[in-house]
Amino acid sequence: MITNPVSQNPSLAPAPTIKLLIVDDSAFMRYAISHHFEGNSSIQVVGTARNGIEALDLIPGLNPDVITMDIEMPKIDGITALREIMKRFPRPVIMLSSLTQEGAEATITALTIGAVDFVPKPTQKASINEVMSEVTAKIVRAATIRVKPALFTGKEMQAAQANKPKAVAKKLDQNDPIVLIGSSTGGPRALHTVLANIPGDLPAAVAIVQHMPVGFTYSLAERLNSQSALLVKEASDGDCLEVGKVLLAPGGYHMMFNEKGIVSLNQNPTVHGVRPAVDVTLISLVQSFGKNVMAVILTGMGNDGTNGAKLLHGIGGTVIAENESSCVVYGMPRSIVEAGVADEIIPLDGIAGTVYLQAKKMKRMLERDH
């Protein structure tokens, strides 16, 4: 009897072909990306569009699994088109971003609205091949991501925060908790949700590590600051943890803290393939502040943050993991949960409230102990 190894072991079955829609006003970019995938059995270009209007017309019929989207286009730009996609037919979108300040700001807006990733756009025709391996890897990864309809737009969130009074930063003392938030894929959107809902009287200092390359974290910090009652800034060498303030690790740098809460940045080798790495920051905080630290691990691929969370949990600190139900990618939180070190597993919309209540509880306990 001849058996079919695929039927005996479904894991041997070939992965389904990923249907890709390319949206770009540049004829060269449409051709270059399409040409790269000619003969590729894993990724099939099912269509191209010159602008957002054409994309919105094509999506229902083509039903692409992944979309690559330029930001600057005529008629309807990438941001406007992305908002419509997230409302009408949500699916993974990868933005092509220019390496300018304006491009970085638009990219952060796109990630907040619901884009799952971005790729810096090549500045010269000859350099297209240099980024196509990154584009390919991100398309394959994006095809596995679950995208949910947008509950809000960046503009709506910003309007909701317009009248919130800003926190006044104050010096950290021995009774103040420190919150470390770590995130990766899907993180910018998750961070906006969390920070927009944390009251300005949070009795804790906050540090954030979001996996992101050089040139984009300044814009992320600015956007978070505009929508949060807390003060948010991209960290610099010599900055200090303060209650009511959030320090975001800059892209391309590991962020560490000493026992006085002072920032030091370095470009030591990547950890878990990334820099900044959550583990680097979290371990330095635990070594300096012990169980005064609370770790919050949000959506993202891989297991960055698990080593630090194990160390923190082992000395009685608090570890919170985002629930699988709300994660764009259930990787980093899954690792925390499977390691058995998550004290609470909370959906995204409940994390801000949990952090606030836990910080108040920690503050009371620290005051009692001291």
Side-chain angles (χ1 to χ4, degrees), residues 65-86:
D65 300 306
V66 179
I67 300 170
T68 62
M69 177 86 71
D70 189 17
I71 291 178
E72 296 179 7
M73 297 183 294
K75 296 185 179 180
I76 289 184
D77 63 22
I79 299 297
T80 304
L82 177 65
R83 285 194 175 99
E84 289 301 309
I85 290 170
M86 290 301 109

Side-chain angles (χ1 to χ4, degrees), residues 42-172:
S42 301
I43 300 172
Q44 177 191 6
V45 177
V46 294
T48 64
R50 294 172 295 179
N51 55 59
I53 292 176
E54 289 186 3
L56 293 169
D57 288 341
L58 288 172
I59 290 170
L62 296 177
N63 192 28
D65 300 306
V66 179
I67 300 170
T68 62
M69 177 86 71
D70 189 17
I71 291 178
E72 296 179 7
M73 297 183 294
K75 296 185 179 180
I76 289 184
D77 63 22
I79 299 297
T80 304
L82 177 65
R83 285 194 175 99
E84 289 301 309
I85 290 170
M86 290 301 109
K87 288 178 184 176
R88 293 162 55 183
F89 10 74
R91 64 201 59 220
V93 178
I94 299 169
M95 308 303 292
L96 296 179
S97 168
S98 62
L99 289 172
T100 63
Q101 185 60 41
E102 184 178 340
E105 291 170 0
T107 300
I108 296 304
T109 298
L111 293 171
T112 304
I113 294 168
V116 298
D117 215 328
F118 71 96
V119 177
K121 198 170 185 177
T123 54
Q124 297 179 353
K125 293 183 179 181
S127 64
I128 183 68
N129 290 329
E130 297 174 13
V131 301
M132 283 314 300
S133 60
E134 181 181 1
V135 172
T136 302
K138 290 191 173 184
I139 289 170
V140 171
R141 183 169 69 184
T144 68
I145 293 174
R146 301 171 302 170
V147 177
K148 299 177 182 178
L151 299 177
F152 54 82
T153 67
K155 287 183 178 179
E156 289 166 351
M157 178 177 278
Q158 192 161 355
Q161 299 305 316
N163 297 319
K164 274 194 175 183
K166 272 289 183 185
V168 177
K170 73 178 188 69
K171 187 177 179 180
L172 192 75

Side-chain angles (χ1 to χ4, degrees), residues 104-335:
E105 291 170 0
T107 300
I108 296 304
T109 298
L111 293 171
T112 304
I113 294 168
V116 298
D117 215 328
F118 71 96
V119 177
K121 198 170 185 177
T123 54
Q124 297 179 353
K125 293 183 179 181
S127 64
I128 183 68
N129 290 329
E130 297 174 13
V131 301
M132 283 314 300
S133 60
E134 181 181 1
V135 172
T136 302
K138 290 191 173 184
I139 289 170
V140 171
R141 183 169 69 184
T144 68
I145 293 174
R146 301 171 302 170
V147 177
K148 299 177 182 178
L151 299 177
F152 54 82
T153 67
K155 287 183 178 179
E156 289 166 351
M157 178 177 278
Q158 192 161 355
Q161 299 305 316
N163 297 319
K164 274 194 175 183
K166 272 289 183 185
V168 177
K170 73 178 188 69
K171 187 177 179 180
L172 192 75
D173 68 34
Q174 62 180 350
N175 298 322
D176 294 322
I178 296 135
V179 179
L180 183 280
I181 303 175
S183 53
S184 187
T185 308
R189 194 177 186 184
L191 289 169
H192 279 80
T193 299
V194 172
L195 289 186
N197 290 289
I198 292 180
D201 64 341
L202 177 76
V206 181
I208 294 175
V209 178
Q210 161 69 41
H211 296 163
M212 190 166 276
V214 175
F216 293 89
T217 43
Y218 176 82
S219 293
L220 176 59
E222 289 288 294
R223 189 168 181 86
L224 291 172
N225 185 60
S226 74
Q227 299 173 4
S228 174
L230 303 172
L231 298 163
V232 185
K233 75 178 295 286
E234 183 186 55
S236 300
D237 268 315
D239 280 343
C240 191
L241 288 169
E242 294 180 274
V243 173
K245 186 166 76 175
V246 181
L247 295 175
L248 174 69
Y253 289 84
H254 292 307
M255 178 172 68
M256 301 178 71
F257 294 91
N258 66 15
E259 66 279 357
K260 295 181 179 179
I262 297 174
V263 173
S264 63
L265 303 175
N266 67 70
Q267 290 188 301
N268 291 342
T270 61
V271 175
H272 309 295
V274 294
R275 187 177 58 224
V278 179
D279 269 330
V280 171
T281 302
L282 180 51
I283 290 171
S284 79
L285 285 170
V286 174
Q287 289 174 338
S288 295
F289 297 98
K291 61 181 181 180
N292 287 30
V293 178
M294 178 196 318
V296 182
I297 305 300
L298 304 178
T299 176
M301 298 191 72
N303 61 358
D304 188 20
T306 300
N307 291 335
K310 288 178 179 177
L311 184 63
L312 177 60
H313 183 78
I315 62 170
T318 301
V319 179
I320 298 170
E322 183 180 351
N323 190 283
E324 180 179 7
S325 63
S326 62
C327 283
V328 172
V329 177
Y330 188 54
M332 288 162 55
R334 179 201 292 273
S335 181

